[in-house]
Amino acid sequence: MNASSFPALLERFFTERLLNQMGASPHTIAAYRDTFRLLFQFAVEQHGRAPSQLRMEDLDVAFVGRFLDHLESKRGNSTRTRNKPIGRLTLLLPVRRHS
């Protein structure tokens, strides 16, 4: 997957998956938005690229593990709170398989 397709994938995730398929509430969508915002801020620090230049390959298991550790150690999230993004991120994977 090239860098230009990742923003399109993320847009489809919010519009097709969350809104159309899941009928997510505005609060749920905001929670996903906030998770991705934190993830992208962390990715910029880790990879040194703008979020629009990220690739799915940049968000591998090791990266997600470092992100979760960052949430707990640097942001002070509890283990339970820091694990919530795992569920949010895994919802993106089915969209990726079908793109």
Side-chain angles (χ1 to χ4, degrees):
M1 172 177 293
N2 62 39
S4 64
S5 63
F6 183 64
L9 171 72
L10 194 58
E11 181 179 354
R12 269 196 344 266
F13 171 73
F14 275 90
T15 57
E16 292 177 18
R17 182 84 169 141
L18 291 180
L19 286 173
N20 297 337
Q21 293 176 5
M22 295 179 60
S25 74
H27 294 289
T28 299
I29 292 169
Y32 278 84
R33 178 205 61 215
D34 294 346
T35 294
F36 281 103
R37 183 176 289 149
L38 290 171
L39 180 89
F40 291 146
Q41 289 171 350
F42 183 72
V44 167
E45 293 171 11
Q46 293 288 303
H47 296 297
R49 289 194 301 274
S52 62
Q53 297 301 310
L54 292 173
R55 302 176 310 263
M56 283 302 293
E57 296 78 25
D58 294 328
L59 308 179
D60 61 11
V61 172
F63 171 81
V64 172
R66 289 191 308 273
F67 172 62
L68 295 174
D69 289 344
H70 166 77
L71 292 178
E72 190 171 359
S73 65
K74 302 292 187 211
R75 294 187 52 86
N77 291 12
S78 68
T79 302
R80 184 175 180 188
T81 300
R82 84 153 201 167
N83 286 338
K84 287 181 181 181
I86 294 172
R88 295 177 187 141
L89 296 172
T90 57
L91 271 178
L92 181 63
L93 299 177
V95 175
R96 180 177 176 212
R97 278 188 234 119
H98 293 93
S99 60

